[in-house]
Every structure is written in C-alpha cells, then in structure tokens.
C-alpha cells in the first residue's frame, strides 16, 4: 500500500517553466594579435624603401665578389677586356695578396728609413738621424684590431713601386720611375712632418731614403743556414719643393 495514498496533506509545488534567453551568450572575443615588428611595422612606403636598400646591398655584394674573383683568377677573356675597371675597383682598399700561400713566401723583413736636411728657423742647416718609418707603422698596427690601410700598405706599396721602376744603378726608368720617386718622396716628407723632424719654423730641404733588408732566421729544427746581416740599399738625395718642405702636402 502506497503510503502517499489516502491523501497527503503536503501541498504539491507548482511547476514553473524555465524561461529561455532569446539570444545565446556570445563567445569571448579572441585575443588581440601581436603588433607587427621589424620591417612589417613600417608603412608601405618605408617597406618599399627598405626592400630597395636590401636589393642595392645585395647587388653591390655580388659585384664585389665578382670583381675579387676576376682579380685573383687566371687571365681570361673578361680580365683582358675589362682589366682596367677591375683594377680600379680592387686597388687600393681591396688588394688581394696571396704571397702567404705561395710555394716560397716572403722570408725577409724590409724596413724603409729616411733622413733629411733641415733648414732651421735661424737659417742653419742640419741633418737628422734615420727615421725608421716601417717600425713606426708596425708599432701602430701592433695590438690594433682595426689598423688603417695607410699603416698597413701605403709605405710598403710605395717602396715596391719604386724598386720595380729602378734600374741596377737606382735610376728611374721612364715616366713610372719618376712618378714612383715623387710618390715616395711625398710620403716620407709627410711622415717627417708628423714626427716634427724640422722643428718649429724649420723646413725640409731634401730627403734620402734607404731600405734595410734582413733575412728571417730559419726555425730551430731546420738545417738551413741564412745570413741575418742587414743589407742596405741607399738612394740618392732628393730635393724637396718649397711647398712640400714647409708642410704644404697633406
């Protein structure tokens, strides 16, 4: 027998219908995208400019690599027709010197030295001692992470140019020989000015250049016998024009 039969006195709860919302709840908004960075953050005009700059740099790099390749490559049709343009691109900043990898690399130390006749402010004439310009360049390069091209190559190349255009009697050969002499003379006069060789009010009247060549000693394990006695090559005195001697050349 059902205990609820016979009429329970508890009133029955009325049924209240659940009201449905006319619109379903909206999903949460998606997270905001990260702001653009780099070139993408630029306006279209600047993006085009950046793309052009990258293209120019890429083209310049390819041209440079091509020029260097043609410079070090054996003689061919391209280098014969465009050798002057290639040399103008390479020299002097991008010179490629492969003597380190040659079968017989350089085994000598060559120092370029200079002395000068000075006319002092009092009208007297004196001769300076020898200035070792190569040692000065070496001291400037030693420990320098970014040595200048001038310190590394200017004096060395000028001396090589001079010796290549001189005969056995140290006389200039042709126009290039005269040009090499003028070039080296201006370099040594500028170096003397930097060292204040003339003193206050003095002028350089003439200069004399010499080289000191010393063989590099062989390693201890080698049986090779090499003389380490310095060999001197002294050139004649060169008169210095008045404008150069007074410091007019820079």
């Amino acid at each position: 027998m059902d205990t609820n039969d016979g009429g329970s006195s508890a009133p029955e709860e009325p049924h209240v219908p659940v009201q449905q919302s006319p619109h379903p709840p909206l999903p949460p908004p998606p997270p905001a995208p990260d702001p653009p960075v780099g070139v993408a953050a630029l306006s279209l005009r600047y993006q085009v400019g950046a793309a052009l700059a990258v293209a120019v740099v890429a083209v310049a790099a390819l041209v440079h690599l091509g020029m260097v390749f043609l410079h070090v490559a054996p003689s061919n049709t391209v280098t014969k027709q465009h050798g002057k343009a290639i040399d103008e691109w390479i020299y002097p900043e991008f010179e490629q010197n492969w003597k380190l990898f040659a079968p017989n690399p350089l085994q000598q130390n060559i120092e370029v030295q200079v002395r000068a006749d000075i006319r002092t402010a009092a009208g007297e004439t004196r001769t300076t001692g020898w200035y070792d310009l190569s040692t000065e360049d070496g001291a400037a390069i030693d420990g320098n992470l970014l040595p200048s091209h001038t310190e590394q190559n200017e004096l060395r190349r000028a001396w090589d140019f001079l010796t290549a255009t001189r005969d056995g009697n140290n006389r200039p050969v042709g126009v290039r020989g005269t040009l090499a002499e003028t070039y080296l003379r201006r370099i040594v006069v500028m170096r003397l000015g930097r060292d204040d060789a003339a003193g206050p009010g003095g002028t350089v009247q003439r200069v004399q250049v010499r080289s000191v060549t010393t063989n590099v000693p062989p390693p201890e394990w080698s049986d090779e016998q090499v003389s380490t006695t310095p060999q001197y090559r002294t050139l004649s005195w060169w008169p210095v024009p008045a404008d150069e001697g007074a410091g007019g050349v820079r």
Side-chain angles (χ1 to χ4, degrees), residues 207-229:
V207 294
Q208 187 177 34
V209 181
R210 74 177 183 184
S211 67
V212 183
T213 303
T214 308
N215 292 322
V216 177
E220 296 180 357
W221 47 261
S222 176
D223 296 331
E224 184 180 3
Q225 300 295 323
V226 175
S227 173
T228 57
T229 302

Side-chain angles (χ1 to χ4, degrees), residues 3-77:
T3 58
N4 292 329
D5 292 346
S8 173
S9 61
E12 183 178 355
E13 295 182 357
H15 176 73
V16 180
V18 179
Q19 295 183 356
Q20 299 291 333
S21 175
H23 301 288
L26 297 176
D34 295 333
V37 295
V39 178
L42 301 176
S43 64
L44 179 60
R45 181 178 61 178
Y46 289 105
Q47 289 183 8
V48 173
L52 290 177
V54 172
V56 170
V57 172
V59 171
L62 291 176
V63 171
H64 177 69
L65 291 176
M67 290 293 190
V68 173
F69 173 79
L70 292 173
H71 175 67
V72 301
S75 179
N76 53 70
T77 304

Side-chain angles (χ1 to χ4, degrees), residues 13-242:
E13 295 182 357
H15 176 73
V16 180
V18 179
Q19 295 183 356
Q20 299 291 333
S21 175
H23 301 288
L26 297 176
D34 295 333
V37 295
V39 178
L42 301 176
S43 64
L44 179 60
R45 181 178 61 178
Y46 289 105
Q47 289 183 8
V48 173
L52 290 177
V54 172
V56 170
V57 172
V59 171
L62 291 176
V63 171
H64 177 69
L65 291 176
M67 290 293 190
V68 173
F69 173 79
L70 292 173
H71 175 67
V72 301
S75 179
N76 53 70
T77 304
V78 177
T79 56
K80 290 179 181 178
Q81 294 181 353
H82 306 286
K84 183 178 180 180
I86 295 172
D87 289 342
E88 289 178 351
W89 180 278
I90 294 296
Y91 293 108
E93 295 296 338
F94 307 115
E95 175 188 3
Q96 304 297 311
N97 190 336
W98 298 105
K99 291 182 179 180
L100 176 64
F101 306 100
N104 186 23
L106 291 175
Q107 298 180 357
Q108 295 177 326
N109 289 323
I110 301 176
E111 299 175 353
V112 179
Q113 302 176 349
V114 62
R115 65 177 178 177
D117 277 349
I118 303 297
R119 185 174 181 84
T120 65
E124 300 176 351
T125 301
R126 64 178 177 87
T127 302
T128 68
W130 289 99
Y131 286 80
D132 194 333
L133 305 182
S134 297
T135 298
E136 292 179 1
D137 284 348
I141 294 171
D142 189 20
N144 189 346
L145 296 179
L146 297 173
S148 70
H149 173 76
T150 300
E151 294 166 343
Q152 296 181 83
N153 297 316
E154 182 184 58
L155 183 64
R156 177 182 62 84
R157 293 285 299 172
W159 179 254
D160 290 344
F161 183 27
L162 181 89
T163 55
T165 56
R166 294 258 155 171
D167 59 17
N169 296 320
N170 283 332
R171 293 176 300 189
V173 177
V175 177
R176 287 176 58 83
T178 304
L179 177 63
E181 179 179 313
T182 302
Y183 180 51
L184 181 59
R185 186 195 71 225
R186 292 191 172 192
I187 290 176
V188 299
V189 169
M190 285 191 296
R191 299 292 182 90
L192 290 171
R194 187 175 64 187
D195 292 335
D196 197 22
T203 58
V204 179
Q205 299 288 297
R206 59 178 188 164
V207 294
Q208 187 177 34
V209 181
R210 74 177 183 184
S211 67
V212 183
T213 303
T214 308
N215 292 322
V216 177
E220 296 180 357
W221 47 261
S222 176
D223 296 331
E224 184 180 3
Q225 300 295 323
V226 175
S227 173
T228 57
T229 302
Q231 301 295 321
Y232 295 86
R233 180 178 181 177
T234 305
L235 306 180
S236 58
W237 285 91
W238 296 336
V240 177

